[in-house]
Amino acid sequence: MFKSKGMNILFTIMAIFIFVAVAGFFVVNMIHEHKTSAQKKDISIDTIVNDLTIDTEEMTTNMKDNHFANVQFKIQVSSKDAKEELTKREFQVKNAIILTLSNLTPNDLQGSKGIDRLQQLIKDQINAFLKSGRVVNVYTTKKLIQ
């Protein structure tokens, strides 16, 4: 390939090194995904409901174009510490929900895509101030637009 035997050896060693590094990356990534999925499967529904979720109060607030939204959510967090912190930060959770809804119109909340978007917006806002864990999921348990 190259005129120099030394360059051929160097090129071969570099190619082997790159191959091993890429293979190692995929192996480590697969092991991490396996551990993560195993951890998710180990959590029982009782643990999720009792130890990892909080229910918001039923809230009624104005929306962007003179409509009202009456909503309630169940927020699942990653740990018991996060649940405890989120309970203490309930006023910030309410604020995040009100701010999010006040920037949306009823059309923004139509269909499952609209609800998914709302849940994602609320999740992102809460994760911005949550320190001892993260919000795993936001479930809409009540939604009424008037």
Side-chain angles (χ1 to χ4, degrees), residues 1 10 17 24 37 65-66 74 86 96 105 107 134-136 140:
M1 184 179 340
L10 181 64
F17 177 75
S37 65
D65 59 354
N66 297 325
K74 186 175 281 285
L86 199 61
T105 65
N107 288 338
R134 62 182 179 79
V135 174
V136 176
T140 303

Side-chain angles (χ1 to χ4, degrees), residues 49-112:
V49 170
N50 297 327
D51 299 333
L52 300 176
T53 59
I54 67 160
D55 292 311
T56 65
E57 295 176 6
E58 186 176 306
M59 298 174 58
T60 303
T61 187
N62 295 340
M63 294 184 71
K64 195 171 188 175
D65 59 354
N66 297 325
H67 286 83
F68 292 93
N70 185 289
V71 294
Q72 189 171 13
F73 300 96
K74 186 175 281 285
I75 302 171
Q76 180 185 348
V77 292
S78 59
S79 67
K80 290 181 182 181
D81 291 338
K83 178 182 178 180
E84 185 177 318
E85 180 186 353
L86 199 61
T87 302
K88 291 177 184 176
R89 292 179 179 267
E90 184 179 351
F91 68 98
Q92 289 176 303
V93 172
K94 289 179 184 178
N95 185 57
I97 293 169
I98 291 170
L99 289 175
T100 302
L101 286 170
S102 67
N103 286 318
L104 299 174
T105 65
N107 288 338
D108 295 332
L109 298 178
Q110 295 222 343
S112 61

